[in-house]
Amino acid sequence: HVQLVESGGGSVQAGGSLRLTCVASISAYSMACMGWFRQAPGKEREGVGVIYTGGGTAVYADSVKGRFTISTDNARNTLYLQMNSLKPEDSAMYYCAADYPPCVGVGDWPVDLGYWGQGTQVTVS
């Protein structure tokens, strides 16, 4: 049984903040590759950031560096994406994903790799 459930999306004004949550019902969460991805209408899914829950630092796409922060609460199998200084171009469906090491790069995680949640919508106006 594997399930990832995202929450925390919503509609905010440019410059605002949101925190997304991913509750991951997977084994060995504390040794997992966890990532956040997003997809806007008509565009390909793109990586936002990836973190190794076993102690690695998060790696982010250039478009979100300095604005987004990934963190993990391993005791609760929960991944977070803190999104600050939001821009209209950040509007997308945001997905949580899980895999196991070796972790791939933020831009090298295909949709058929690992496990994915159903997404949570973020709209920035």
Side-chain angles (χ1 to χ4, degrees), residues 14-17 66-68 83-87 90:
S17 298
R67 299 188 298 120
F68 291 10
M83 309 165 67
N84 298 326
S85 301
L86 283 162
K87 305 174 180 179
D90 295 319

Side-chain angles (χ1 to χ4, degrees), residues 75-91:
R76 296 170 176 79
N77 279 26
T78 301
L79 186 76
Y80 300 97
L81 179 65
Q82 180 65 47
M83 309 165 67
N84 298 326
S85 301
L86 283 162
K87 305 174 180 179
E89 51 263 45
D90 295 319
S91 297

